[in-house]
Amino acid sequence: SYVLTQSPSVSVAPGKTARITCGGHIIGSKSVHWYQQKAGQAPVLVIHYDTDRPSGIPERFSGSNSGNMATLTIDRVEAGDEADYYCQVWDSSSDVVFGGGTKLTVL
Amino acid sequence: EVQLVESGGGLIQPGGSLRLSCAASGLTVSTNQMIWVRHAPGKGLEWVSLISIPGTTYYADSVKGRFTISRDNSKNTVFLQMSALRAEDTAVYYCARAFGGSYYIDYWGQGNMVTVSP
């Protein structure tokens, strides 16, 4: 089965840049999607197809995907960005796959 | 505006059965890929089941043989029939729309809690 690996936590000061990674075997050949989930709320799609932002998502959110790593980058981090972030792909052998999630803490 | 409203959750004993419903408005379930995702306490998101536009069903290994996804086109509603429930099925269950060939999830319900406990 296909596995996506995320670091459990990332901490960043307000105004700085947060980078959240998602590792997977040749993940660069797949389309990666990212979700933000705040405590007690449903997830929200923040990036789809590696780099595309849905309507309403700030330009501070961007994505990249190459080789064995995909990255969600959040520029000029704000307190309101504190949340859990999940990557997701579709794999022919595993169907829908989520990463384990990364907790972003804004210091 | 798309709305997905789940219902049917609650407290159930191990081995019991429960049916979750997801009433959709603003989209037609028969022309969309609908998915159930769960979030267990202290854990990450987990895909549970998906029904494709033609009606083909898919299941995570953890629920295969115990859960059944279906839809009622006349009611524009998706269901998740859960049986032989275990403590590890305890989670918030989200109904959602999965779009495209790589199934990104753009519309989510508010979530419905299922607690499996004696």
Side-chain angles (χ1 to χ4, degrees), chain B residues 45-74:
Chain B
L45 298 175
E46 181 188 16
W47 166 70
V48 174
S49 183
L50 182 144
I51 184 165
S52 71
I53 294 171
T56 307
T57 58
Y58 304 86
Y59 301 93
D61 287 344
S62 58
V63 307
K64 202 171 292 182
R66 300 188 299 123
F67 290 13
T68 302
I69 190 172
S70 63
R71 68 190 182 204
D72 184 330
N73 297 342
S74 67

PDB file of all heavy atoms in Angstrom, chain B residues 45-74:
ATOM      1  N   LEU B  45      -6.647  11.983   9.536  1.00  0.00           N
ATOM      2  CA  LEU B  45      -7.778  11.675   8.663  1.00  0.00           C
ATOM      3  C   LEU B  45      -7.586  10.302   8.031  1.00  0.00           C
ATOM      4  O   LEU B  45      -6.466   9.910   7.687  1.00  0.00           O
ATOM      5  CB  LEU B  45      -7.888  12.725   7.559  1.00  0.00           C
ATOM      6  CG  LEU B  45      -8.152  14.165   7.994  1.00  0.00           C
ATOM      7  CD1 LEU B  45      -8.118  15.098   6.789  1.00  0.00           C
ATOM      8  CD2 LEU B  45      -9.470  14.278   8.731  1.00  0.00           C
ATOM      9  N   GLU B  46      -8.691   9.596   7.856  1.00  0.00           N
ATOM     10  CA  GLU B  46      -8.647   8.271   7.231  1.00  0.00           C
ATOM     11  C   GLU B  46      -9.797   8.148   6.238  1.00  0.00           C
ATOM     12  O   GLU B  46     -10.963   8.342   6.591  1.00  0.00           O
ATOM     13  CB  GLU B  46      -8.749   7.168   8.283  1.00  0.00           C
ATOM     14  CG  GLU B  46      -8.691   5.771   7.697  1.00  0.00           C
ATOM     15  CD  GLU B  46      -8.986   4.667   8.715  1.00  0.00           C
ATOM     16  OE1 GLU B  46      -9.531   4.966   9.790  1.00  0.00           O
ATOM     17  OE2 GLU B  46      -8.675   3.494   8.414  1.00  0.00           O
ATOM     18  N   TRP B  47      -9.457   7.802   5.007  1.00  0.00           N
ATOM     19  CA  TRP B  47     -10.474   7.533   4.010  1.00  0.00           C
ATOM     20  C   TRP B  47     -11.207   6.253   4.377  1.00  0.00           C
ATOM     21  O   TRP B  47     -10.599   5.276   4.818  1.00  0.00           O
ATOM     22  CB  TRP B  47      -9.828   7.382   2.641  1.00  0.00           C
ATOM     23  CG  TRP B  47     -10.738   6.771   1.619  1.00  0.00           C
ATOM     24  CD1 TRP B  47     -11.835   7.347   1.058  1.00  0.00           C
ATOM     25  CD2 TRP B  47     -10.635   5.466   1.056  1.00  0.00           C
ATOM     26  NE1 TRP B  47     -12.421   6.480   0.168  1.00  0.00           N
ATOM     27  CE2 TRP B  47     -11.704   5.320   0.147  1.00  0.00           C
ATOM     28  CE3 TRP B  47      -9.741   4.405   1.204  1.00  0.00           C
ATOM     29  CZ2 TRP B  47     -11.910   4.163  -0.605  1.00  0.00           C
ATOM     30  CZ3 TRP B  47      -9.941   3.252   0.457  1.00  0.00           C
ATOM     31  CH2 TRP B  47     -11.018   3.139  -0.428  1.00  0.00           C
ATOM     32  N   VAL B  48     -12.542   6.247   4.229  1.00  0.00           N
ATOM     33  CA  VAL B  48     -13.352   5.097   4.599  1.00  0.00           C
ATOM     34  C   VAL B  48     -13.946   4.417   3.364  1.00  0.00           C
ATOM     35  O   VAL B  48     -13.787   3.209   3.174  1.00  0.00           O
ATOM     36  CB  VAL B  48     -14.493   5.514   5.557  1.00  0.00           C
ATOM     37  CG1 VAL B  48     -15.427   4.350   5.831  1.00  0.00           C
ATOM     38  CG2 VAL B  48     -13.917   6.071   6.861  1.00  0.00           C
ATOM     39  N   SER B  49     -14.638   5.205   2.535  1.00  0.00           N
ATOM     40  CA  SER B  49     -15.366   4.597   1.427  1.00  0.00           C
ATOM     41  C   SER B  49     -15.693   5.654   0.379  1.00  0.00           C
ATOM     42  O   SER B  49     -15.767   6.845   0.680  1.00  0.00           O
ATOM     43  CB  SER B  49     -16.663   3.952   1.935  1.00  0.00           C
ATOM     44  OG  SER B  49     -17.360   3.304   0.888  1.00  0.00           O
ATOM     45  N   LEU B  50     -15.889   5.188  -0.860  1.00  0.00           N
ATOM     46  CA  LEU B  50     -16.206   6.088  -1.965  1.00  0.00           C
ATOM     47  C   LEU B  50     -17.173   5.407  -2.904  1.00  0.00           C
ATOM     48  O   LEU B  50     -17.089   4.184  -3.127  1.00  0.00           O
ATOM     49  CB  LEU B  50     -14.922   6.475  -2.696  1.00  0.00           C
ATOM     50  CG  LEU B  50     -15.023   7.458  -3.884  1.00  0.00           C
ATOM     51  CD1 LEU B  50     -13.805   8.371  -3.922  1.00  0.00           C
ATOM     52  CD2 LEU B  50     -15.169   6.710  -5.203  1.00  0.00           C
ATOM     53  N   ILE B  51     -18.102   6.185  -3.454  1.00  0.00           N
ATOM     54  CA  ILE B  51     -18.996   5.687  -4.493  1.00  0.00           C
ATOM     55  C   ILE B  51     -18.806   6.547  -5.732  1.00  0.00           C
ATOM     56  O   ILE B  51     -18.879   7.780  -5.663  1.00  0.00           O
ATOM     57  CB  ILE B  51     -20.471   5.643  -4.023  1.00  0.00           C
ATOM     58  CG1 ILE B  51     -21.373   5.013  -5.092  1.00  0.00           C
ATOM     59  CG2 ILE B  51     -20.977   7.012  -3.593  1.00  0.00           C
ATOM     60  CD1 ILE B  51     -22.746   4.611  -4.566  1.00  0.00           C
ATOM     61  N   SER B  52     -18.520   5.885  -6.841  1.00  0.00           N
ATOM     62  CA  SER B  52     -18.245   6.609  -8.077  1.00  0.00           C
ATOM     63  C   SER B  52     -19.550   7.010  -8.763  1.00  0.00           C
ATOM     64  O   SER B  52     -20.648   6.613  -8.350  1.00  0.00           O
ATOM     65  CB  SER B  52     -17.418   5.740  -9.017  1.00  0.00           C
ATOM     66  OG  SER B  52     -18.218   4.669  -9.526  1.00  0.00           O
ATOM     67  N   ILE B  53     -19.417   7.794  -9.833  1.00  0.00           N
ATOM     68  CA  ILE B  53     -20.609   8.239 -10.552  1.00  0.00           C
ATOM     69  C   ILE B  53     -21.401   7.062 -11.109  1.00  0.00           C
ATOM     70  O   ILE B  53     -22.629   7.013 -10.977  1.00  0.00           O
ATOM     71  CB  ILE B  53     -20.223   9.258 -11.641  1.00  0.00           C
ATOM     72  CG1 ILE B  53     -19.685  10.536 -10.988  1.00  0.00           C
ATOM     73  CG2 ILE B  53     -21.423   9.574 -12.545  1.00  0.00           C
ATOM     74  CD1 ILE B  53     -19.075  11.535 -11.948  1.00  0.00           C
ATOM     75  N   PRO B  54     -20.764   6.044 -11.707  1.00  0.00           N
ATOM     76  CA  PRO B  54     -21.534   4.881 -12.183  1.00  0.00           C
ATOM     77  C   PRO B  54     -22.082   4.022 -11.041  1.00  0.00           C
ATOM     78  O   PRO B  54     -22.908   3.136 -11.295  1.00  0.00           O
ATOM     79  CB  PRO B  54     -20.514   4.084 -12.998  1.00  0.00           C
ATOM     80  CG  PRO B  54     -19.403   5.005 -13.270  1.00  0.00           C
ATOM     81  CD  PRO B  54     -19.362   5.954 -12.123  1.00  0.00           C
ATOM     82  N   GLY B  55     -21.620   4.262  -9.818  1.00  0.00           N
ATOM     83  CA  GLY B  55     -22.112   3.483  -8.688  1.00  0.00           C
ATOM     84  C   GLY B  55     -21.144   2.433  -8.165  1.00  0.00           C
ATOM     85  O   GLY B  55     -21.500   1.662  -7.264  1.00  0.00           O
ATOM     86  N   THR B  56     -19.933   2.384  -8.703  1.00  0.00           N
ATOM     87  CA  THR B  56     -18.931   1.458  -8.192  1.00  0.00           C
ATOM     88  C   THR B  56     -18.507   1.904  -6.800  1.00  0.00           C
ATOM     89  O   THR B  56     -18.342   3.097  -6.542  1.00  0.00           O
ATOM     90  CB  THR B  56     -17.713   1.421  -9.116  1.00  0.00           C
ATOM     91  OG1 THR B  56     -18.143   1.143 -10.446  1.00  0.00           O
ATOM     92  CG2 THR B  56     -16.738   0.343  -8.667  1.00  0.00           C
ATOM     93  N   THR B  57     -18.327   0.928  -5.907  1.00  0.00           N
ATOM     94  CA  THR B  57     -17.989   1.258  -4.518  1.00  0.00           C
ATOM     95  C   THR B  57     -16.582   0.796  -4.157  1.00  0.00           C
ATOM     96  O   THR B  57     -16.095  -0.217  -4.677  1.00  0.00           O
ATOM     97  CB  THR B  57     -19.013   0.637  -3.559  1.00  0.00           C
ATOM     98  OG1 THR B  57     -19.035  -0.779  -3.757  1.00  0.00           O
ATOM     99  CG2 THR B  57     -20.393   1.205  -3.804  1.00  0.00           C
ATOM    100  N   TYR B  58     -15.947   1.550  -3.279  1.00  0.00           N
ATOM    101  CA  TYR B  58     -14.584   1.273  -2.844  1.00  0.00           C
ATOM    102  C   TYR B  58     -14.524   1.427  -1.322  1.00  0.00           C
ATOM    103  O   TYR B  58     -15.213   2.273  -0.755  1.00  0.00           O
ATOM    104  CB  TYR B  58     -13.601   2.245  -3.496  1.00  0.00           C
ATOM    105  CG  TYR B  58     -13.655   2.255  -5.010  1.00  0.00           C
ATOM    106  CD1 TYR B  58     -14.561   3.067  -5.681  1.00  0.00           C
ATOM    107  CD2 TYR B  58     -12.808   1.438  -5.761  1.00  0.00           C
ATOM    108  CE1 TYR B  58     -14.631   3.071  -7.067  1.00  0.00           C
ATOM    109  CE2 TYR B  58     -12.867   1.441  -7.147  1.00  0.00           C
ATOM    110  CZ  TYR B  58     -13.784   2.259  -7.788  1.00  0.00           C
ATOM    111  OH  TYR B  58     -13.849   2.251  -9.168  1.00  0.00           O
ATOM    112  N   TYR B  59     -13.657   0.619  -0.703  1.00  0.00           N
ATOM    113  CA  TYR B  59     -13.568   0.625   0.750  1.00  0.00           C
ATOM    114  C   TYR B  59     -12.125   0.533   1.215  1.00  0.00           C
ATOM    115  O   TYR B  59     -11.302  -0.152   0.595  1.00  0.00           O
ATOM    116  CB  TYR B  59     -14.346  -0.553   1.345  1.00  0.00           C
ATOM    117  CG  TYR B  59     -15.807  -0.547   0.985  1.00  0.00           C
ATOM    118  CD1 TYR B  59     -16.273  -1.250  -0.124  1.00  0.00           C
ATOM    119  CD2 TYR B  59     -16.719   0.190   1.736  1.00  0.00           C
ATOM    120  CE1 TYR B  59     -17.616  -1.224  -0.473  1.00  0.00           C
ATOM    121  CE2 TYR B  59     -18.068   0.218   1.392  1.00  0.00           C
ATOM    122  CZ  TYR B  59     -18.498  -0.484   0.288  1.00  0.00           C
ATOM    123  OH  TYR B  59     -19.825  -0.457  -0.055  1.00  0.00           O
ATOM    124  N   ALA B  60     -11.838   1.203   2.319  1.00  0.00           N
ATOM    125  CA  ALA B  60     -10.558   1.005   2.979  1.00  0.00           C
ATOM    126  C   ALA B  60     -10.509  -0.408   3.547  1.00  0.00           C
ATOM    127  O   ALA B  60     -11.543  -0.977   3.926  1.00  0.00           O
ATOM    128  CB  ALA B  60     -10.391   2.029   4.102  1.00  0.00           C
ATOM    129  N   ASP B  61      -9.323  -0.971   3.611  1.00  0.00           N
ATOM    130  CA  ASP B  61      -9.178  -2.343   4.119  1.00  0.00           C
ATOM    131  C   ASP B  61      -9.743  -2.471   5.537  1.00  0.00           C
ATOM    132  O   ASP B  61     -10.266  -3.529   5.907  1.00  0.00           O
ATOM    133  CB  ASP B  61      -7.704  -2.754   4.111  1.00  0.00           C
ATOM    134  CG  ASP B  61      -7.171  -3.012   2.705  1.00  0.00           C
ATOM    135  OD1 ASP B  61      -8.001  -3.174   1.780  1.00  0.00           O
ATOM    136  OD2 ASP B  61      -5.945  -3.033   2.539  1.00  0.00           O
ATOM    137  N   SER B  62      -9.648  -1.403   6.320  1.00  0.00           N
ATOM    138  CA  SER B  62     -10.076  -1.450   7.717  1.00  0.00           C
ATOM    139  C   SER B  62     -11.585  -1.623   7.882  1.00  0.00           C
ATOM    140  O   SER B  62     -12.050  -1.996   8.957  1.00  0.00           O
ATOM    141  CB  SER B  62      -9.613  -0.186   8.440  1.00  0.00           C
ATOM    142  OG  SER B  62     -10.138   0.973   7.806  1.00  0.00           O
ATOM    143  N   VAL B  63     -12.348  -1.343   6.830  1.00  0.00           N
ATOM    144  CA  VAL B  63     -13.813  -1.440   6.947  1.00  0.00           C
ATOM    145  C   VAL B  63     -14.417  -2.408   5.931  1.00  0.00           C
ATOM    146  O   VAL B  63     -15.633  -2.653   5.960  1.00  0.00           O
ATOM    147  CB  VAL B  63     -14.481  -0.055   6.797  1.00  0.00           C
ATOM    148  CG1 VAL B  63     -13.866   0.952   7.781  1.00  0.00           C
ATOM    149  CG2 VAL B  63     -14.390   0.469   5.374  1.00  0.00           C
ATOM    150  N   LYS B  64     -13.592  -2.929   5.054  1.00  0.00           N
ATOM    151  CA  LYS B  64     -14.100  -3.817   3.998  1.00  0.00           C
ATOM    152  C   LYS B  64     -14.826  -5.005   4.599  1.00  0.00           C
ATOM    153  O   LYS B  64     -14.342  -5.643   5.536  1.00  0.00           O
ATOM    154  CB  LYS B  64     -12.931  -4.264   3.115  1.00  0.00           C
ATOM    155  CG  LYS B  64     -13.311  -4.737   1.728  1.00  0.00           C
ATOM    156  CD  LYS B  64     -12.062  -4.935   0.874  1.00  0.00           C
ATOM    157  CE  LYS B  64     -11.369  -3.635   0.548  1.00  0.00           C
ATOM    158  NZ  LYS B  64     -10.182  -3.802  -0.331  1.00  0.00           N
ATOM    159  N   GLY B  65     -16.011  -5.294   4.076  1.00  0.00           N
ATOM    160  CA  GLY B  65     -16.812  -6.409   4.583  1.00  0.00           C
ATOM    161  C   GLY B  65     -17.718  -6.029   5.734  1.00  0.00           C
ATOM    162  O   GLY B  65     -18.597  -6.810   6.117  1.00  0.00           O
ATOM    163  N   ARG B  66     -17.505  -4.845   6.312  1.00  0.00           N
ATOM    164  CA  ARG B  66     -18.331  -4.408   7.447  1.00  0.00           C
ATOM    165  C   ARG B  66     -19.165  -3.175   7.116  1.00  0.00           C
ATOM    166  O   ARG B  66     -20.256  -2.994   7.658  1.00  0.00           O
ATOM    167  CB  ARG B  66     -17.447  -4.088   8.650  1.00  0.00           C
ATOM    168  CG  ARG B  66     -16.617  -5.262   9.147  1.00  0.00           C
ATOM    169  CD  ARG B  66     -15.904  -4.925  10.453  1.00  0.00           C
ATOM    170  NE  ARG B  66     -14.979  -3.796  10.326  1.00  0.00           N
ATOM    171  CZ  ARG B  66     -15.039  -2.687  11.063  1.00  0.00           C
ATOM    172  NH1 ARG B  66     -15.994  -2.531  11.959  1.00  0.00           N
ATOM    173  NH2 ARG B  66     -14.154  -1.722  10.896  1.00  0.00           N
ATOM    174  N   PHE B  67     -18.647  -2.321   6.255  1.00  0.00           N
ATOM    175  CA  PHE B  67     -19.334  -1.071   5.894  1.00  0.00           C
ATOM    176  C   PHE B  67     -19.824  -1.157   4.453  1.00  0.00           C
ATOM    177  O   PHE B  67     -19.179  -1.803   3.603  1.00  0.00           O
ATOM    178  CB  PHE B  67     -18.397   0.127   6.012  1.00  0.00           C
ATOM    179  CG  PHE B  67     -18.019   0.511   7.418  1.00  0.00           C
ATOM    180  CD1 PHE B  67     -18.268  -0.317   8.515  1.00  0.00           C
ATOM    181  CD2 PHE B  67     -17.408   1.737   7.658  1.00  0.00           C
ATOM    182  CE1 PHE B  67     -17.914   0.053   9.796  1.00  0.00           C
ATOM    183  CE2 PHE B  67     -17.052   2.129   8.940  1.00  0.00           C
ATOM    184  CZ  PHE B  67     -17.302   1.269  10.013  1.00  0.00           C
ATOM    185  N   THR B  68     -20.947  -0.501   4.179  1.00  0.00           N
ATOM    186  CA  THR B  68     -21.497  -0.441   2.827  1.00  0.00           C
ATOM    187  C   THR B  68     -21.918   0.988   2.512  1.00  0.00           C
ATOM    188  O   THR B  68     -22.698   1.586   3.267  1.00  0.00           O
ATOM    189  CB  THR B  68     -22.711  -1.370   2.676  1.00  0.00           C
ATOM    190  OG1 THR B  68     -22.329  -2.716   2.997  1.00  0.00           O
ATOM    191  CG2 THR B  68     -23.247  -1.325   1.245  1.00  0.00           C
ATOM    192  N   ILE B  69     -21.396   1.503   1.413  1.00  0.00           N
ATOM    193  CA  ILE B  69     -21.795   2.832   0.957  1.00  0.00           C
ATOM    194  C   ILE B  69     -22.873   2.676  -0.116  1.00  0.00           C
ATOM    195  O   ILE B  69     -22.833   1.735  -0.922  1.00  0.00           O
ATOM    196  CB  ILE B  69     -20.584   3.624   0.411  1.00  0.00           C
ATOM    197  CG1 ILE B  69     -20.946   5.096   0.155  1.00  0.00           C
ATOM    198  CG2 ILE B  69     -20.015   2.974  -0.834  1.00  0.00           C
ATOM    199  CD1 ILE B  69     -19.735   5.982  -0.199  1.00  0.00           C
ATOM    200  N   SER B  70     -23.833   3.569  -0.101  1.00  0.00           N
ATOM    201  CA  SER B  70     -24.895   3.537  -1.111  1.00  0.00           C
ATOM    202  C   SER B  70     -25.446   4.941  -1.278  1.00  0.00           C
ATOM    203  O   SER B  70     -25.076   5.862  -0.547  1.00  0.00           O
ATOM    204  CB  SER B  70     -26.005   2.559  -0.698  1.00  0.00           C
ATOM    205  OG  SER B  70     -26.616   2.999   0.510  1.00  0.00           O
ATOM    206  N   ARG B  71     -26.345   5.102  -2.223  1.00  0.00           N
ATOM    207  CA  ARG B  71     -26.983   6.407  -2.424  1.00  0.00           C
ATOM    208  C   ARG B  71     -28.422   6.196  -2.865  1.00  0.00           C
ATOM    209  O   ARG B  71     -28.757   5.167  -3.467  1.00  0.00           O
ATOM    210  CB  ARG B  71     -26.208   7.230  -3.457  1.00  0.00           C
ATOM    211  CG  ARG B  71     -26.260   6.686  -4.872  1.00  0.00           C
ATOM    212  CD  ARG B  71     -25.288   7.400  -5.797  1.00  0.00           C
ATOM    213  NE  ARG B  71     -25.407   6.888  -7.153  1.00  0.00           N
ATOM    214  CZ  ARG B  71     -24.446   6.948  -8.072  1.00  0.00           C
ATOM    215  NH1 ARG B  71     -23.277   7.536  -7.780  1.00  0.00           N
ATOM    216  NH2 ARG B  71     -24.646   6.462  -9.269  1.00  0.00           N
ATOM    217  N   ASP B  72     -29.242   7.190  -2.549  1.00  0.00           N
ATOM    218  CA  ASP B  72     -30.626   7.224  -2.999  1.00  0.00           C
ATOM    219  C   ASP B  72     -30.763   8.481  -3.849  1.00  0.00           C
ATOM    220  O   ASP B  72     -30.800   9.590  -3.317  1.00  0.00           O
ATOM    221  CB  ASP B  72     -31.571   7.250  -1.801  1.00  0.00           C
ATOM    222  CG  ASP B  72     -33.044   7.197  -2.190  1.00  0.00           C
ATOM    223  OD1 ASP B  72     -33.390   7.688  -3.286  1.00  0.00           O
ATOM    224  OD2 ASP B  72     -33.845   6.689  -1.398  1.00  0.00           O
ATOM    225  N   ASN B  73     -30.787   8.284  -5.133  1.00  0.00           N
ATOM    226  CA  ASN B  73     -30.816   9.430  -6.039  1.00  0.00           C
ATOM    227  C   ASN B  73     -32.080  10.268  -5.861  1.00  0.00           C
ATOM    228  O   ASN B  73     -32.047  11.496  -5.991  1.00  0.00           O
ATOM    229  CB  ASN B  73     -30.685   8.965  -7.485  1.00  0.00           C
ATOM    230  CG  ASN B  73     -29.351   8.282  -7.758  1.00  0.00           C
ATOM    231  OD1 ASN B  73     -28.395   8.444  -6.993  1.00  0.00           O
ATOM    232  ND2 ASN B  73     -29.294   7.512  -8.821  1.00  0.00           N
ATOM    233  N   SER B  74     -33.190   9.611  -5.564  1.00  0.00           N
ATOM    234  CA  SER B  74     -34.454  10.346  -5.412  1.00  0.00           C
ATOM    235  C   SER B  74     -34.428  11.277  -4.196  1.00  0.00           C
ATOM    236  O   SER B  74     -35.092  12.307  -4.187  1.00  0.00           O
ATOM    237  CB  SER B  74     -35.623   9.368  -5.304  1.00  0.00           C
ATOM    238  OG  SER B  74     -35.546   8.625  -4.102  1.00  0.00           O
TER     239      SER B  74
END
